[in-house]
Amino acid sequence: MTDRHHLLVHGGTFAAVGDGGDISGVRGGSSPDGLFVRDARHLSRWQLTVDGAVPEALTPVADGDMARCVLVPRGGRQEPPAHTLFREQAVGDGSFVESLKVTSNRPVPTTVRLAVTADADFTDQFELRSDYRTYAKTGATRSRQVLDDGVEFAYQRGEWRSCTTVTAEPAPDGVEETGTGARRMVWTLDLEPHGTAELALRVMARPHGDKRALRVPRSPSALNEQLLALEGEYVQGVSFPTGWPELAAACARGLSDLASLQVPATGLDGEELRVPAAGAPWFLTLLGRDALLTSLFALPYRPQLAAATLPALAATQATDVGPESVSQPGKIVHEVRHGELAHFGQVPYGRYYGSVDATPLFLVLLGAYVEQTGDTALARRLESNARAAVGWMLDHGGLTSRGYLVYRADQGGLANQNWKDSPGAICGADGTRASGPVMAAGAQGYAYDALRRTAWVARTVWEDETYAALLEQAAADLRDRFQQDFWMRDHSFPALALDGEGRQVDALASDAGHLLWSGLLDKEYGELVGRRLLEPDFFSGWGVRTLASGQAAYHPLSYHRGSVWPHDNALITLGLSRYGLHDEARTVAHALVDAATAAGHRLPEVLAGYGRDTHPEPVPYPHACVRESRSAAAPLALLTAVGGA
């Protein structure tokens, strides 16, 4: 596409439309366009024409919860537009609603022919990624049925069935074939002098297995009111810093985004829950690590996120060994997908456990939640799940046999299974990838914190002193081992990881800041690390880079080897504060808030690593999620770390 995509997000549904409100269905690129529900594209074309031509955007769609634009027929200065079109669009739970108003600019009666070309290809999101993979879909069929007031598109492959229903008021005068599978709904409208006509179009998506009785609101305004009410609930009651209005605005924007990023999940007893999705457009689903960190950041302000995330993840906790899904007893899920390819096992992500750190973070959040809220009932309810998670860390996770949490590359899934999960992210300073089983530094910090927090829960809630003492000893031993094996004396800095031979992977990386957050380092080491992260090769002015510049492995536009991640920096800021480095914490916090202010108070998933000294505006990362739950919650973590300073 030549124009931008604008995201409309509401729960597990999102639409990406162009500047004029159209959906072209073009494949490839950094972001797909269409209407997506549960990993499938339920609208792949949605194109408006006026008298047979595509209008131009007089006022293009702006960022917001509802898409609004003003369109006119194409023409020149000598022929003012005959009509003006006012277009509004919004998404709801499984729905997309459009209001279209056409106003005549002529003093005499006139006739205008409007048409909306619609199609639904039901493409799985994994097919739209630019990774050159293709997937066979033997026996798949698509059908179209003309309705009295619109058209219905359906897709079937074996037992898998999805449909999209498009209706209009008034009903179209006709529904035409296009020769491409799309259908064109047409209206011939007679307008009085300077008269106006309105159309209301409603799209309802029915993903496979969705039997809910959904009601589609009549107008975009009605949908927008629902979302605004939900956002208001999230913001209400949070005390924002009055002396730092930019941080207050970033917190408010983040809470509003978190409200729109809540997706359905099921708890241990089948209860319906709403949990933070990772982000739109590619990850509007439950990802264990992302939901846990988001809930941790928001815990002092919105503990209900943790109260939903914990039982949802407990319900998907692994109970057996599954090589394809990388599941092992006690392990917390990395990713849950609901799409066609996951259903038929063509991608491993239906329930995928390729994460070394979701399991310790589950325990960290449980301990922090009980400490923050005093809600011991949830700790009792999840006792067996927590013990199973500890068992995984000690057994399959590698703490007992290797001394550290360890992961191995998964050929069908993720090569790296810590938070830096892109290929090549775990590397030496020269860019050489770590070989063999990997012991990532950050995950050891999470494990240390998990053992200590679970020991506290065991002692105060489960009343199991013996188990608590065992976990405390395991944590102390891990701390001693780590500082001996990971500390690079030549750099006064911890290694990014150990490889399969126990050799230090010597890249200077931001993961060291996570060790401050978890408290794994002694005070002397922690202070050295904290101050080192603020030196110019690490600190870009917009945040701490994932990899310090000057190393051969560094690239400012690499996903994990030189970019700046807001959630990474939020953890670093919390860690700096924990070690008493308050000036450094404020420096990082101010940089992130400035980056958010430059982008309408919203932090993206990731920024490029270019320095502020040469780039006075933050440079976007080209493939970043526009709305991402960890980044949305990051300002709340900054508020916790530095207050209103």
Side-chain angles (χ1 to χ4, degrees):
M1 290 184 65
T2 57
D3 60 355
R4 300 170 298 159
H5 287 159
H6 305 270
L7 282 184
L8 307 173
V9 184
H10 191 149
T13 302
F14 80 88
V17 301
D19 282 341
D22 278 352
I23 293 167
S24 70
V26 172
R27 291 176 180 245
S30 62
S31 176
D33 71 338
L35 173 69
F36 291 84
V37 186
R38 291 171 70 90
D39 298 329
R41 183 157 65 178
H42 279 261
L43 271 185
S44 54
R45 280 190 71 185
W46 189 258
Q47 294 177 306
L48 172 68
T49 57
V50 183
D51 293 329
V54 176
E56 62 180 333
L58 187 63
T59 303
V61 172
D63 292 334
D65 294 327
M66 186 164 66
R68 293 185 176 94
C69 61
V70 181
L71 310 172
V72 293
R74 297 178 185 273
R77 291 186 179 184
Q78 304 305 316
E79 187 179 354
H83 334 286
T84 304
L85 295 100
F86 301 88
R87 199 174 192 183
E88 292 185 346
Q89 299 164 324
V91 298
D93 190 2
S95 62
F96 175 84
V97 180
E98 174 164 328
S99 172
L100 185 60
K101 182 168 67 174
V102 55
T103 298
S104 170
N105 297 322
R106 291 180 172 173
V108 296
T110 186
T111 299
V112 60
R113 187 175 188 266
L114 295 185
V116 173
T117 301
D119 199 5
D121 62 6
F122 301 99
T123 302
D124 192 289
Q125 267 197 293
F126 283 93
E127 297 178 83
L128 296 171
R129 299 188 180 194
S130 301
D131 57 7
Y132 307 106
R133 298 186 187 184
T134 58
Y135 303 90
K137 295 177 146 186
T138 305
T141 60
R142 288 205 291 152
S143 62
R144 298 93 179 159
Q145 179 183 356
V146 175
L147 308 175
D148 291 340
D149 56 354
V151 61
E152 182 171 277
F153 302 92
Y155 175 85
Q156 188 158 3
R157 176 187 172 196
E159 74 275 14
W160 182 274
R161 177 176 169 78
S162 303
C163 72
T164 299
T165 305
V166 181
T167 58
E169 185 180 339
D173 299 324
V175 178
E176 303 173 346
E177 295 192 16
T178 64
T180 65
R183 294 295 184 266
R184 182 182 298 113
M185 298 174 290
V186 297
W187 294 262
T188 301
L189 304 175
D190 295 321
L191 300 178
E192 297 294 328
H194 298 291
T196 295
E198 294 188 39
L199 300 179
L201 299 113
R202 295 189 287 174
V203 180
M204 183 170 69
R206 284 286 187 190
H208 174 73
D210 188 355
K211 297 180 174 60
R212 295 175 298 166
L214 295 177
R215 296 183 61 186
V216 181
R218 295 181 59 86
S219 70
S221 296
L223 271 177
N224 196 46
E225 287 174 6
Q226 292 180 5
L227 185 54
L228 288 175
L230 182 60
E231 292 175 354
E233 291 177 11
Y234 268 69
V235 174
Q236 187 176 10
V238 177
S239 297
F240 299 129
T242 56
W244 193 355
E246 294 84 4
L247 176 58
C251 288
R253 178 70 269 174
L255 284 166
S256 295
D257 283 349
L258 287 176
S260 68
L261 286 169
Q262 300 302 298
V263 295
T266 303
L268 272 175
D269 299 317
E271 71 272 24
E272 294 183 359
L273 302 167
R274 307 286 289 188
V275 297
W282 295 113
F283 301 103
L284 201 62
T285 189
L286 174 62
L287 268 65
R289 178 193 304 121
D290 298 62
L292 289 161
L293 287 172
T294 298
S295 299
L296 277 161
F297 292 165
L299 183 58
Y301 314 97
R302 283 292 170 261
Q304 63 265 40
L305 296 183
T309 295
L310 287 164
L313 291 175
T316 57
Q317 189 175 28
T319 57
D320 56 12
V321 175
E324 291 186 357
S325 64
V326 205
S327 66
Q328 295 162 335
K331 203 173 186 184
I332 295 299
V333 75
H334 168 65
E335 185 170 355
V336 177
R337 289 288 181 174
H338 305 282
E340 174 190 358
L341 297 182
H343 176 83
F344 287 105
Q346 292 175 277
V347 296
Y349 303 112
R351 282 191 183 179
Y352 181 65
Y353 293 84
S355 166
V356 74
D357 48 14
T359 306
L361 286 171
F362 174 83
L363 295 167
V364 171
L365 179 60
L366 178 61
Y369 173 80
V370 175
E371 183 178 4
Q372 177 75 39
T373 67
D375 180 7
T376 58
L378 186 60
R380 292 190 182 94
R381 184 187 180 201
L382 301 183
E383 179 178 356
S384 63
N385 303 96
R387 288 178 182 265
V390 171
W392 176 83
M393 290 200 304
L394 296 173
D395 185 10
H396 291 284
L399 276 183
T400 300
S401 60
R402 299 295 296 261
Y404 299 107
L405 291 186
V406 60
Y407 67 82
R408 295 162 179 81
D410 175 25
Q411 291 186 348
L414 294 171
N416 286 311
Q417 296 171 24
N418 64 320
W419 86 264
K420 290 179 176 173
D421 57 6
S422 59
I426 305 303
C427 64
D430 62 358
T432 303
R433 299 184 183 189
S435 60
V438 173
M439 291 154 277
Q444 315 315 321
Y446 304 159
Y448 171 77
D449 198 15
L451 291 168
R452 294 183 69 252
R453 288 184 183 275
T454 309
W456 177 80
V457 172
R459 179 174 289 114
T460 59
V461 181
W462 304 336
E463 298 179 350
D464 189 337
E465 177 62 37
T466 301
Y467 189 58
L470 183 153
L471 299 186
E472 287 173 338
Q473 186 60 54
D477 292 345
L478 173 58
R479 181 173 180 149
D480 291 341
R481 280 195 306 274
F482 183 91
Q483 297 190 145
Q484 177 177 339
D485 296 341
F486 277 76
W487 191 255
M488 300 186 295
R489 288 173 176 79
D490 290 346
H491 297 286
S492 296
F493 204 78
L496 174 58
L498 302 181
D499 68 8
E501 301 299 321
R503 295 171 300 205
Q504 293 177 343
V505 180
D506 63 353
L508 302 181
S510 63
D511 303 56
H514 297 216
L515 305 175
L516 305 182
W517 175 63
S518 58
L520 182 59
L521 298 177
D522 288 342
K523 183 174 177 58
E524 178 185 355
Y525 285 175
E527 290 176 351
L528 286 171
V529 167
R531 295 191 176 99
R532 180 68 181 83
L533 290 171
L534 270 293
E535 292 185 17
D537 57 345
F538 261 122
F539 185 66
S540 75
W542 302 113
V544 176
R545 298 181 177 99
T546 46
L547 212 65
S549 64
Q551 302 175 94
Y554 169 77
H555 191 303
L557 286 172
S558 168
Y559 199 45
H560 290 122
R561 283 165 53 162
S563 54
V564 173
W565 285 66
H567 95 272
D568 182 30
N569 277 262
L571 289 171
I572 291 169
T573 306
L574 289 166
L576 291 169
S577 178
R578 176 173 186 159
Y579 278 76
L581 300 172
H582 299 296
D583 289 342
E584 289 82 356
R586 282 190 289 269
T587 297
V588 178
H590 276 276
L592 276 188
V593 171
D594 288 348
T597 303
H601 306 293
R602 173 182 283 145
L603 286 168
E605 175 191 21
V606 54
L607 294 163
Y610 294 108
R612 191 171 183 172
D613 54 342
T614 56
H615 296 80
E617 294 290 329
V619 178
Y621 178 82
H623 306 288
C625 284
V626 178
R627 299 195 193 185
E628 207 247 9
S629 61
R630 292 174 301 179
S631 291
L636 299 174
L638 302 181
L639 180 59
T640 300
V642 303

